[in-house]
Amino acid sequence: MEHVEKIIDEKRQGKALVTENKKENTKKLFIESYGCQMNMNDSEIVAAILDKQGYNTTQILEEADLVLVNTCSIREKAETTVRKRLQKYNAVKQVNKKMKVGVLGCMAERLKEKFLEEEKIVDLVVGPDAYKDLPNLLEEVNEGRDAVNVILSKEETYGDISPVRLNSNGVSAFVSITRGCDNMCTFCVVPFTRGRERSRDPKSILEEIQQMVDKNYKEITLLGQNVDSFLWYGGGLKKDFKKATEMAQATAVDFSQLLDMCATKFPKTRFRFSTSNPQDMSLDVIHTMAKHKNICKYIHLPVQSGSNAMLKAMNRQHTREEYMELVDNIYKIIPEMALSQDMIVGFCGETEQDHKDTLDLMEYVKYDFGFMFAYSERPGTLAGKKMDDDVPAAIKKRRLTEVINLQQEHALYRTQQHLGKVEEVLIEGTSKKDPNQWKGRNTQNTVIVFPKEHYKLGDFVNVKVEDCTSATLIGTAVGYSDNN
C-alpha cells in the first residue's frame, strides 16, 4: 500500500478525464478516478479501449451514455466518496434512462457482490485486470444483464495498449512497468485487489517511452506497486521465475538493467520511478542512478515504522537495522540523494517505545519529505482479520502530530541545504500562488518557483536558489541548462 498511498494526489481525485474527441465517435463516456497514480493511469487505458468502441469522453455527467468510476480500496475516505458519487449517478439515471453505471478498479474487486446484488446500484463491475474485456461486458449490459469480471490475471500487464494521456501538463508522463504485488504487508489490500506481481516486456516499455518522447514529454516516471522487484524473463509471474529455463533466467532483465536501458536510450529525458520497497532495493539500482545524470536523485523509500516489533507485525521483510544500513549505503554512493518516507502511526499493538523508535529513525535519515497516516483498519487485509486495532484514536492523533512536526523540521533542514546553489529545473507549469512565476522540480523532486521571464513550459533551466520554505525553493533563472 505504501507505494500507492503516497501518490494519492488530492487535487486529482474525482476529476472527470478528458481526451481528444473524435468526430466519428457517437457515444459519450464520463470517467472519474480516485486513489493512486496507478488508478489514474488505468483510466487512461480504459479511455483508449473505449475510444475504439465509439466513446468520446465528456465532463458533463448528465449527457453520458456510460459512467465509470475508477476506485481505490486503500482509505476509508475514498470509499465513502465513491459511495456518494454512485448515489449521485443513480439520481441522474432516473432522468437519463439509457445511462449505464460501472465501477472499475480495486474497490470493484472487493465489493462486487454488494454493488451488483445487494445494493443494485451498478450495471457493471470490472476489476483492474479485466479492462480488455470491457467491450464484451458492455454488450452484456446493453442486452439488459449485469456484467462482472474481477478475475485477477497472471499475464495482464496492458503492455500492448498505449494509454490515452489525460489531463497532463504535457511535460511529465507515467509509464507502468509492473502490476500487482507479492509483498503481503498486513495493513495492505493491494495483493488482493491487484493480484500477484508481473512485469511488462522491456521492449514495450521502451516503445511507450519513445511515443512519449516523440510527443515532446521531457520526464517519465516508471510506475509500479514495487518497481524494485521488476523482473522480465519472457512473461509470467515474478514468483514463478525459479521455474523458468536456465536461458530465460540468464537473459532476464531486472530493474537496475531496465533503468540503465531507459536512461541510455533517452539521454535527454529525465527519469523518475515510484515506488521502491526497502527489502527489494538492490545497490545496483543506486549505482545505475549514479552513472546517469538524467535519472533523478530521489527515492521514495517507505519504511512505515522505525520499530522492529511493528515492522514484524506489518510483515515488512526487513529490520530497522537493515533499513538504516541501506540508507547509509545510498548516501555513501550518492550523497545528494533525497529520500522520502511513508509512516503509519498507531498500528496494532504500537507502544510508546515503538513510537519513539520511529522518531529516532526519522532523526537518523532526515527525510526530505514524507506521507504520514494514522492507521485505519482495511477490510480484507491480514491485520483486519487477525489483529486488534488497539491504539486509542487520541493517542494515534498525538503520535501522528509528533511525526508530522518532526518531518516539517527535517524538510526545512533539507531545503536549506539548497540555498545559494544553482540547480537544473524542468518547467512543469505556472506557480499556483503567482501567475508570473514558473514552477518545476530539481533532481531531488523539490518544487522550485522563479520568475517566468522568456522561459517556456518544458524548458530545462538552471535556477539559483535564493530562499526557501520547508516545502518550496525560491530562486531566479540564470540560463538554460545543457539538457535542452
Side-chain angles (χ1 to χ4, degrees):
M1 167 163 76
E2 69 241 7
H3 19 298
V4 183
E5 192 77 78
K6 64 141 222 323
I7 26 187
I8 289 184
D9 180 349
E10 296 303 343
K11 293 185 290 300
R12 294 189 60 193
Q13 300 300 302
K15 259 199 180 154
L17 294 178
V18 183
T19 51
E20 280 175 47
N21 283 348
K22 288 193 184 156
K23 284 195 186 59
E24 64 273 21
N25 283 359
T26 53
K27 289 175 286 192
K28 293 200 162 79
L29 162 70
F30 178 94
I31 180 169
E32 56 184 29
S33 319
Y34 294 88
C36 66
Q37 187 57 54
M38 291 289 281
N39 267 4
M40 305 288 166
N41 200 264
D42 280 356
S43 291
E44 301 179 354
I45 289 170
V46 169
I49 293 170
L50 290 177
D51 174 57
K52 295 192 175 54
Q53 301 294 313
Y55 285 88
N56 278 334
T57 53
T58 173
Q59 280 185 293
I60 305 162
L61 175 62
E62 287 67 18
E63 65 172 34
D65 300 285
L66 177 61
V67 174
L68 296 176
V69 56
N70 195 349
T71 61
C72 163
S73 244
I74 297 250
R75 295 192 295 184
E76 208 127 2
K77 193 173 128 210
E79 216 155 279
T80 321
T81 314
V82 168
R83 288 200 166 275
K84 286 208 186 88
R85 290 304 284 157
L86 288 170
Q87 284 160 4
K88 164 91 175 129
Y89 301 158
N90 274 296
V92 176
K93 232 175 155 179
Q94 301 314 307
V95 185
N96 176 358
K97 296 282 192 231
K98 66 179 193 336
M99 184 172 118
K100 300 290 181 212
V101 173
V103 175
L104 312 175
C106 295
M107 204 167 140
E109 213 293 311
R110 206 164 65 69
L111 297 176
K112 50 186 180 287
E113 285 85 6
K114 256 199 159 65
F115 283 156
L116 281 170
E117 287 132 47
E118 293 168 38
E119 302 178 21
K120 298 245 180 286
I121 47 179
V122 298
D123 307 286
L124 179 73
V125 178
V126 191
D129 285 344
Y131 299 140
K132 274 190 201 161
D133 197 24
L134 267 165
N136 308 332
L137 295 171
L138 283 170
E139 229 164 85
E140 290 280 305
V141 168
N142 292 335
E143 285 165 26
R145 291 189 289 274
D146 287 340
V148 62
N149 180 347
V150 291
I151 296 160
L152 290 170
S153 144
K154 288 186 170 57
E155 289 76 46
E156 194 54 82
T157 60
Y158 300 108
D160 57 343
I161 292 175
S162 294
V164 181
R165 300 287 143 185
L166 311 163
N167 294 348
S168 156
N169 58 13
V171 178
S172 325
F174 294 90
V175 172
S176 290
I177 63 168
T178 67
R179 291 184 80 83
C181 189
D182 283 352
N183 296 327
M184 293 288 177
C185 301
T186 56
F187 54 76
C188 182
V189 77
V190 164
F192 308 107
T193 60
R194 285 186 174 267
R196 298 307 294 261
E197 201 169 294
R198 58 254 179 236
S199 297
R200 241 178 101 176
D201 184 343
K203 192 161 98 0
S204 79
I205 294 169
L206 291 166
E207 280 164 9
E208 191 177 328
I209 295 171
Q210 183 68 62
Q211 289 172 4
M212 296 292 104
V213 170
D214 293 344
K215 289 183 185 152
N216 243 348
Y217 282 91
K218 302 293 174 71
E219 181 180 271
I220 303 288
T221 300
L222 304 175
L223 276 188
Q225 312 299 133
N226 175 10
V227 288
D228 298 289
S229 63
F230 178 88
L231 186 62
W232 172 257
Y233 59 97
L237 294 181
K238 163 94 190 273
K239 68 181 181 60
D240 296 333
F241 177 66
K242 48 190 178 303
K243 299 181 199 155
T245 64
E246 268 178 59
M247 186 61 188
Q249 291 190 20
T251 55
V253 176
D254 67 11
F255 182 56
S256 139
Q257 290 162 308
L258 178 71
L259 256 186
D260 194 53
M261 287 156 76
C262 293
T264 305
K265 186 170 178 194
F266 304 102
K268 293 280 187 201
T269 304
R270 244 191 199 189
F271 286 94
R272 297 185 183 277
F273 53 87
S274 189
T275 274
S276 298
N277 197 312
Q279 70 206 41
D280 299 305
M281 176 57 109
S282 91
L283 291 180
D284 293 351
V285 170
I286 312 300
H287 286 297
T288 299
M289 293 174 81
K291 185 172 118 184
H292 295 280
K293 184 175 163 283
N294 59 329
I295 302 177
C296 292
K297 306 303 181 262
Y298 162 61
I299 301 173
H300 182 60
L301 200 62
V303 67
Q304 309 299 359
S305 171
S307 143
N308 278 335
M310 288 298 99
L311 290 170
K312 195 165 183 221
M314 292 172 174
N315 196 31
R316 306 287 286 171
Q317 306 295 313
H318 60 83
T319 61
R320 156 198 182 87
E321 291 74 22
E322 285 165 337
Y323 185 88
M324 286 156 91
E325 186 188 344
L326 174 62
V327 168
D328 288 345
N329 285 324
I330 291 174
Y331 285 149
K332 211 175 287 165
I333 300 165
I334 303 179
E336 74 276 21
M337 184 73 86
L339 295 178
S340 60
Q341 45 85 344
D342 281 336
M343 289 293 175
I344 294 175
V345 304
F347 190 66
C348 312
E350 186 182 65
T351 64
E352 211 47 44
Q353 184 56 50
D354 294 325
H355 171 59
K356 284 203 173 64
D357 286 351
T358 293
L359 296 172
D360 178 66
L361 179 83
M362 288 172 69
E363 284 288 6
Y364 187 83
V365 180
K366 295 193 170 52
Y367 294 98
D368 290 67
F369 6 84
F371 304 87
M372 296 141 296
F373 303 90
Y375 174 65
S376 76
E377 193 174 275
R378 306 309 294 122
T381 59
L382 298 169
K385 289 178 195 154
K386 303 248 163 69
M387 299 180 188
D388 227 4
D389 182 3
D390 55 2
V391 179
I395 291 182
K396 280 185 187 171
K397 201 171 161 188
R398 172 185 59 80
R399 288 178 187 169
L400 182 59
T401 305
E402 287 175 13
V403 166
I404 290 172
N405 291 345
L406 185 58
Q407 181 52 51
Q408 289 296 101
E409 275 174 47
H410 293 158
L412 182 61
Y413 164 77
R414 290 293 183 189
T415 52
Q416 285 168 344
Q417 307 306 303
H418 297 272
L419 292 175
K421 293 185 177 158
V422 173
E423 303 188 333
E424 184 184 75
V425 175
L426 170 60
I427 299 179
E428 290 174 24
T430 299
S431 155
K432 277 188 208 52
K433 294 204 173 101
D434 181 352
N436 301 310
Q437 301 241 342
W438 284 124
K439 71 161 189 224
R441 283 173 299 159
N442 63 10
T443 184
Q444 283 87 0
N445 205 35
T446 310
V447 171
I448 182 159
V449 294
F450 56 95
K452 282 189 170 173
E453 300 178 288
H454 56 284
Y455 300 104
K456 295 185 188 58
L457 188 69
D459 284 347
F460 284 98
V461 181
N462 287 326
V463 176
K464 181 158 191 187
V465 182
E466 290 145 350
D467 197 2
C468 69
T469 66
S470 64
T472 312
L473 304 174
I474 299 150
T476 311
V478 294
Y480 294 101
S481 87
D482 53 13
N483 200 38
N484 284 295

